[in-house]
Amino acid sequence: MERRSIMKGAFATGATASLALAGCSVEEEPGDATAEGVDFGLPEGEGEIVIAYINWDEAVVATELWRQALEASGYTVTTQEFTEVGPLFEGLSSGDLDVFLDGWLPITHQTYMETYGDQLEQLGTWNENAALTVAVPSYVDVNSLTELNANADLFGGRIVGIEASAGLTEAVQEGAIPTYGITDLTLETSSTTAMLTELDSAIAAEEPIVVTLWQPHWAYAKYDLKNLEDPETTLGEAETINVLARTGFTEEFGDVADALGTFAMSDDQLASLENAVFSEHEGDVQAGVTAWLKDNPFSDLVA
């Protein structure tokens, strides 16, 4: 099951470009690709490493964090953005890609692990509190998925979703909707960016809206949201976020694999990093990560 999202193309290579938030242009900042004065503490090395990611917030910031750390340690890093997880896992399994920092286990990416797991290395878990959610603004007087159908008119008969191919979409469509008899609302899919735009507009106008979301996500820091109760656990239990790599990565890049294996971020650390990127630096991922690293030692993230 894919959680949230065909290959979009590499747009950041070496030290000449930064990751970009969906909807923003790619900002090239030659000569300012890493945080100056930051001691990443990683062993020096060499070689090219390709980090694949989906434009999910935690994947975007974690990828840029490690791009800066690895390039400061002597590696050449290429980041490759995908809009769907299937081709990404295919690329990892074939060896065309090296690392993916946002594998949700054991549920969300279970199907891909069943298909490709024997051809991958699972290097470590860096967050243990990931969850799929359906959320509303706190001012909405609905508290449970069991109440949604009775309040269909309040939400205009629609649940604002994200990508149609996402595992979150699948969980809501095939789990929550039939389990709770949600027959009078339609799950409308488009993109994560479009969902967040609608959420922002609705909250600015103090209008009711129900969206599919996930934690950790910066939206929970920016807005006063509440997750609808899911008494039948149709969206699954809390999951872990894991570092996955192609077979042979540890043999070729042992020091990097060791460091990735000890990488860990608490919910507060991740929320702080995402806030620095998406709020304080308005989606300038490179600048936001660089600024955050100056106040938050990288050594705190790796054992």
Side-chain angles (χ1 to χ4, degrees), residues 117 119-124 243-251 257:
Q119 303 161 63
L120 305 177
E121 296 179 359
Q122 188 172 336
L123 301 184
V243 182
L244 305 176
R246 61 169 173 82
T247 297
F249 182 80
T250 298
E251 182 177 356

Side-chain angles (χ1 to χ4, degrees), residues 159-163 168 188 190-202 209-214 217 219 223:
I159 301 170
V160 182
I162 57 170
E163 290 78 8
L168 171 55
E188 297 185 356
S190 56
S191 69
T192 299
T193 303
M195 178 275 291
L196 291 169
T197 298
E198 286 209 46
L199 178 63
D200 185 77
S201 297
I209 187 172
V210 55
V211 301
T212 63
L213 200 52
W214 64 92
H217 195 285
Y223 309 114

Side-chain angles (χ1 to χ4, degrees), residues 38-46 49 65-75 77 254-263 293 298-303:
V38 173
D39 180 10
F40 290 96
L42 300 180
E44 290 292 316
E46 61 181 3
I49 296 174
L65 184 75
W66 277 95
R67 184 192 69 78
Q68 294 196 24
L70 292 173
E71 290 200 339
S73 303
Y75 298 93
V77 180
D255 288 339
V256 176
D258 288 344
L260 286 167
T262 64
F263 175 48
L293 281 167
F298 186 80
S299 58
D300 289 350
L301 309 179
V302 292

Side-chain angles (χ1 to χ4, degrees), residues 169-204:
T169 300
E170 182 180 350
V172 173
Q173 191 71 61
E174 299 184 8
I177 287 176
T179 297
Y180 299 115
I182 305 173
T183 57
D184 296 330
L185 292 95
T186 300
L187 176 59
E188 297 185 356
T189 60
S190 56
S191 69
T192 299
T193 303
M195 178 275 291
L196 291 169
T197 298
E198 286 209 46
L199 178 63
D200 185 77
S201 297
I203 290 178

Side-chain angles (χ1 to χ4, degrees), residues 1 38 64 84 101 151 160 166 176 219 240 247-248 272:
M1 184 191 298
V38 173
E64 175 64 9
E84 294 185 3
L101 292 161
N151 291 277
V160 182
T240 62
T247 297
S272 172

Side-chain angles (χ1 to χ4, degrees), residues 220-267:
Y220 287 93
K222 183 174 183 179
Y223 309 114
D224 190 5
L225 302 173
K226 63 180 175 182
N227 295 334
L228 296 183
E229 297 172 4
D230 180 16
E232 300 298 325
T233 321
T234 61
L235 303 180
E237 302 284 358
E239 296 189 72
T240 62
I241 306 179
N242 300 268
V243 182
L244 305 176
R246 61 169 173 82
T247 297
F249 182 80
T250 298
E251 182 177 356
E252 185 173 352
F253 296 103
D255 288 339
V256 176
D258 288 344
L260 286 167
T262 64
F263 175 48
M265 293 192 79
S266 67
D267 292 346

